Each structure stands twice: as C-alpha cells, then as structure tokens.
Amino acid sequence: MSGTSEGPTPTADLVPPATTDGPPKPPTHRGGGSAPGEPYRAAFDRAPLAMAAIGPDGTVITANDAFRALFVPPAGPDGKPGTGPVGRPAADLVDLGSDARTRQGYQEVLRGQRARLRCSRRIKHPDGHAMWARITVSPLPDPAGPAAALLSVSDISARRELQARLRHLQMHDPVTRLPNRTLFFERLSGALETSSFDDTGTGRIGLCYLDLDGFKAVNDTLGHRIGDRLLAAVAERLTRCADEAGSARATTPLAARLGGDEFALLVEDSTGTEQLADLAGTLLRTLQEPFDIAGQRLSLSASIGVVERHAAGTTATGLMQAADTTLYWAKADGKARWTLFDPERNAHRMTRQALASSLRPALEREEFVLEYQPLVELGDGTLRGVEALVRWEHPQFGTLTPNRFIGLAEEDGSIVQLGRWVLRTACRQARRWQLDHPGAEPVFVSVNVAVRQVWDSDLVADVDAILAETGLDARLLQLELTESAVMGSAGRPLQALQALSDMGVRIAIDDFGTGYSNLAYLSRLPVSTLKLDGSFVRGFRYEDGAHPNPADEVIVETLIQLAHRLGLTVTAECVETAGQAERLRRIGCDTGQGWLYSRPVAPDRIPPLLVTRPVRPPDRAA
C-alpha cells in the first residue's frame, strides 16, 4: 500500500517529549525480528491496530498482521506474493515526507527528540480503494535495540466521511443547496490571498452581489413554502449562469446564497469590468424569465451591484462593503438593473457619512460661521437688509455651503440646534451693526428656518428669547421658509407663524415659484415678502445677442402685481447683471439680491455698505 498526498493538506501534531506518552509499546528485541516472549509476540501480531517497528534508519523491522494486510500488494500474474513492508522505508509507505514539517517531526521521533508524531494521510489500499488513515509514530524506550520507533495506522475513513458531511451541511444553504455565507467568505478570503501572491493568474477579482426585487411580496402572499421553492429555482438559474461563464475559463464563478433573497457570484481571476458586466447582464436576463412554481407563473427581477478590482490591497470586508453600496445604488436607480461600483460616487457617499457623523461635534467645536449677502432696493440702490448664510469651516473638507450639510442636519435633527445658533448669531450681529453705526438706517437680517425647527422646537419661544437677549427689534428680523414648507400649513406651524408675525417679525417665502405657487394660500398666511426663485431672473439675461424669453418677464410681472395686491413685497434672487436689475425695477420688483451687488461676505464687509448709500454694483455689462 502506498501513501498519497491526495485530499486536504496533511496535518501533523508534534507533541513535546514525555516519557509516559504514546501508545503501548511492543517489547524491544535485539535481533531477527522475533520477540523474546511468545505471549507478547502473539499479542503484537494479532492486534487489530496495524503496527510496525521502525529502525533508526527509518526502515520497517517487523510488522504485525494488520499492518501487512495494508501494505502487502496482491499476488502478481505469476502467483508470487507482492513485496511486504519489512525492509522498506516507513516514510514511503505512509507518505511522511510530503511536507517539511511532518518530515522533520518524523526524524526527531526516530532520534528520540520528540515524544510523538501524529498526522492524517489519504492512502491507497492494495485492493484499490482509498482510505483516510491516522498515522502515529512514537519512540521506543530502549535506544540500544534495533527498533527506534513504533508506527501505527488506524482507519479513520468513516470519521472523515462524517466530518465531510457535517462540514457540507454547515457550509451549504439547506433551501438552495448553494454554498452559504460562511463558505462564501472562506472562498473569498482564500481567493484574495491567492490572487495577491500568485503570478499565474490575472491578480483581479470580481463580484456580482444581487438582491431579488419583489421577493418579499411573494413570500407574504403565497407563503414561505412557495418562497423557498422560488429561491431554489433562482439558485438553479444562477448555477447554470456560473457554469456557462466558466465553461471557457479555468475557474467557474462561485454562486452562493448569503441570506434571505441575497445571492452572490464570485469571479476569481477576473479579466476586467467587461467580463463582470456581461455576467451581470446574463443574470438579469435569466432571472427575468417567468418561473413556474406549484402551478403558478411568477415573475421577478433582480438588482445587482458589480465590483471588479485588483486583489492586492483588497480585503473581503472592503469588497463586500463596495458591493453592498453598489447594490443600494442599483435599487435607488430603479431596480431591475446592474450598477458598476463608482469610486467617485462612493467618495461622495463616504463624505456624506463623514459629514453626518461630525455635525453635532462641529457645533460644539464652533466650526460654523455666518456670511451676509445684501438685499438692495431696486429703485434707489438703498441697502434694506442682509441674508445670513451659514458656512461650515470643516477641518478636512474646507468651507462647505449649506447645500452640503443642511439636508443632513434636517435628517438627524441637529438642524434645531444649528438653526438656534444661526438665529442668535445673526441677531447679535445685526444689533452690533446698529450700535456701531447709530447714524445709519438700521437694516433687517433675514434668517432661513427649516420646517423641522417649527415642528421639533418652540420656535416662537426661541425667537422671543433671542430678541430679548440681543436687544434687536423684532421688526429687524426676517425669517425665511421655503414655499413647500408653508403652503397648506395648519395647526402648529400656522400658529407659530402667526405668533411670530404678531411679535413684529417679518415672514418671507423663499424660492417662490419652485413649489406649489398657489397664491390663494398667501391670503391666509402671515407672510410679508415673496422671494422669487433665481430661475425666473436668469430668464431675463441676454446671452449671445439673443433676447430673453418674453414669457419669463410676463410671468414675473404677473406674480409681482398679484403679490402687491395682497400687500406683499417681492425680492428677486440671483440678480447678476444691470440689465436684469433694470427690467425687474421696471416691472415693479421691490428688492434684489445677487452677485451684481455682492457675494455673501464676512460681517466686517457690511459696515461700509451701511454708510455708503446707495449700494453701487461694480461695473458689469448687462
């Protein structure tokens, strides 16, 4: 019988020296291979455990019947028996030289430097079948005798078969019979390690991570039994796609069920994004074909996140995070599609997460500042007010404008704390300008208010307390709310707006014209100002010698007239040219705001405008 390295990598246990360790030893002997006592020899020969005595040079000195049965080949055509194990190197018989660690441990046992060597080997029986054997080599106590060690071989095939079955059950999904999450990550980690250091492959790895669209509805309406059968049918199609994709390549993609209705196809040694895109497209087309389950025709689709990259420097966690993010994009983009991982899009998402997690600490670290943009009377250029615009001086990303973080603040509720800080800072600054320039006409400060500030805090109490704290007259404070936030207001928001108006605070609707544009609501709201969205004003601009769209001017003029009939003033945003300002003035717009007059500036840039009136825009072409 000969040893072979077929099967899993052999393992060896090297046990430190111990005089009492090891199995029972046959009596040592000094010559001829015969034991000195017949009873002991008979027990050795007839023992069911295959045993052999090994000399210092590693050859078999004597062996019992069980050992000879394993290693004596059948008689040849001439009827002569095959060569027995005696006199042959034991290491060759049981494959003890296939790896360096086992080979070294075996030599140490022969020299008496180790108490025991244990290893498992898959060896071939003389009758042709293979078996798993547990090999044990222990030194014999009499160094002067010809036998240096005792070798025993026990059949562990049944145990290995049971272990293999248990591992298969542990590593495979019972519903689809696909590899499960545990086996998938084991293969993924191994593939990343191999691809990173093996020069024979492409050094790349790809992953299609898919989720079934609408599977929950099938489960909820038809029951889990039908749902499980549908999952099994999906698994069959995924396996077929993987087999077809691997038919012309050295490796076949691994299809696995990661849990629920989530599956993955792992492509080792991928050749690039084109290969993964082709596979993802095939998966989509295959899954979109109807399924016949228990007499019912079911249709579903899938969303697939596709990632393909160099294996070097990639971790299993990093790859799965990228795949999960890309799967989310595929669903957000409309489902029933595949989406390729985009590093730039991911960087934006990561930035968004980083900003969201640092919003509240940024308030405590006082990383926010206010800039102010003038609101100018279109008739005579007089400065009427300023709009306070918050900026985030982020230590990593630099100065951020509100569109980068206000939405995040509204999502996590920190907008209430941030809004309160903006309101207090703006009122304090407006009062400071008033005190520093008592001879100048006071200007109002306009502060943006998110609708969540109205719902999640006592805005009326906050405004009242801040006005009292700063000493600013309520008539010099304007609060801006978006059109969609105030249209249809009822209950608490309407009560808050009315209470603020009763205090003397101005209420303005920001970005008017982008939402409902229902002027009928304005008669029921305590609003004093409409701020026309910049999209209207941009239509007034001459570009490349062409005249602006006359319809824009008619719409704006009509809005202004209706607002004036309701007793409201109108502010035009995004005024960039003198021509725009002139046309807005001609059709009756009250105030303008935009780069024609000034960009948002630091507080110390406003005082010169208070004492130099009218505000004269820089020379620009209309």
Side-chain angles (χ1 to χ4, degrees), residues 347-559:
H348 177 76
R349 181 186 69 89
M350 297 298 291
T351 301
R352 179 180 171 86
Q353 290 179 345
L355 294 179
S357 64
S358 57
L359 257 172
R360 294 182 186 275
L363 281 165
E364 299 173 0
R365 293 192 295 263
E366 300 181 349
E367 293 177 0
F368 293 95
V369 297
L370 292 186
E371 292 183 340
Y372 301 87
Q373 187 171 34
L375 288 82
V376 176
E377 181 78 33
L378 289 174
D380 59 9
T382 303
L383 179 66
R384 293 299 184 189
V386 293
E387 180 180 357
L389 298 167
V390 64
R391 305 287 187 257
W392 185 356
E393 300 290 351
H394 197 282
Q396 179 181 355
F397 303 115
T399 302
L400 303 178
T401 53
N403 63 308
R404 295 290 302 277
F405 58 86
I406 289 298
L408 298 175
E410 290 178 335
E411 289 175 10
D412 71 1
S414 60
I415 189 65
V416 173
Q417 183 182 358
L418 176 60
R420 192 178 290 126
W421 176 86
V422 170
L423 183 62
R424 177 179 289 105
T425 304
C427 290
R428 184 182 294 121
Q429 183 61 67
R431 179 60 174 161
R432 172 53 53 195
W433 287 327
Q434 187 180 8
L435 294 175
D436 290 345
H437 304 279
E441 184 73 20
V443 296
F444 68 86
V445 62
S446 191
V447 177
N448 291 278
V449 176
V451 66
R452 189 162 181 176
Q453 291 177 256
V454 182
W455 282 106
D456 292 1
S457 68
D458 192 339
L459 181 62
V460 177
D462 287 344
V463 170
D464 186 53
I466 289 172
L467 291 176
E469 173 190 332
T470 60
L472 185 69
D473 193 303
R475 294 172 299 174
L476 297 179
L477 174 62
Q478 176 173 281
L479 299 181
E480 297 186 20
L481 290 88
T482 61
E483 180 184 346
S484 58
V486 297
M487 289 303 178
S489 292
R492 183 174 179 179
L494 180 57
Q495 293 170 5
L497 294 180
Q498 188 61 59
L500 291 167
S501 179
D502 293 343
M503 292 168 54
V505 175
R506 306 169 187 232
I507 305 296
I509 297 180
D510 194 16
D511 299 330
F512 186 79
T514 60
Y516 299 96
S517 301
N518 191 338
L519 290 171
Y521 281 104
L522 298 180
S523 62
R524 287 178 272 165
L525 292 172
V527 175
S528 58
T529 301
L530 296 183
K531 297 190 71 175
L532 293 179
D533 185 68
S535 60
F536 290 108
V537 179
R538 279 189 287 270
F540 284 22
R541 185 172 186 172
Y542 288 96
E543 294 181 356
D544 300 326
H547 288 280
N549 186 351
D552 289 333
E553 188 168 327
V554 172
I555 293 173
V556 173
E557 184 175 5
T558 302
L559 289 174

Side-chain angles (χ1 to χ4, degrees), residues 141-162:
D142 184 3
L150 179 68
L151 183 148
S152 63
V153 181
S154 57
D155 187 350
I156 59 171
S157 299
R159 186 199 313 170
R160 290 292 293 242
E161 183 179 350
L162 176 60

Side-chain angles (χ1 to χ4, degrees), residues 26-68:
T28 56
H29 43 87
R30 297 186 178 276
S34 58
E38 286 303 321
Y40 293 104
R41 180 68 201 193
F44 175 73
D45 285 339
R46 297 172 186 174
L49 179 65
M51 294 185 290
I54 310 299
D57 61 354
T59 59
V60 177
I61 296 176
T62 184
N64 67 358
D65 295 341
F67 194 92
R68 285 193 296 271

Side-chain angles (χ1 to χ4, degrees), residues 556-614:
V556 173
E557 184 175 5
T558 302
L559 289 174
I560 292 173
Q561 290 174 355
L562 287 172
H564 286 170
R565 292 289 296 272
L566 292 171
L568 309 177
T569 62
V570 180
T571 298
E573 299 180 300
C574 301
V575 181
E576 298 180 352
T577 69
Q580 290 172 330
E582 174 57 26
R583 282 188 289 279
L584 287 166
R585 184 198 62 76
R586 189 176 65 245
I587 61 178
C589 189
D590 301 292
T591 55
Q593 173 184 0
W595 289 4
L596 173 66
Y597 305 105
S598 174
R599 294 171 181 259
V601 295
D604 59 3
R605 298 283 299 279
I606 296 299
L609 303 179
L610 296 173
V611 297
T612 305
R613 296 189 178 188

Side-chain angles (χ1 to χ4, degrees), residues 2-5 10-12 54 58 89-107 109-110 117-121 123 133-138 149-153:
S2 61
T4 175
S5 58
T11 59
I54 310 299
D92 294 346
L93 293 173
V94 292
D95 192 27
L96 295 180
S98 59
D99 66 274
R101 186 170 184 267
T102 303
R103 185 169 55 250
Q104 179 181 349
Y106 174 58
Q107 294 298 326
V109 170
L110 293 180
L117 168 70
R118 279 182 177 171
C119 61
S120 298
R121 288 293 187 273
I123 56 182
R134 184 69 165 176
I135 312 299
T136 304
V137 185
S138 303
L150 179 68
L151 183 148
S152 63
V153 181

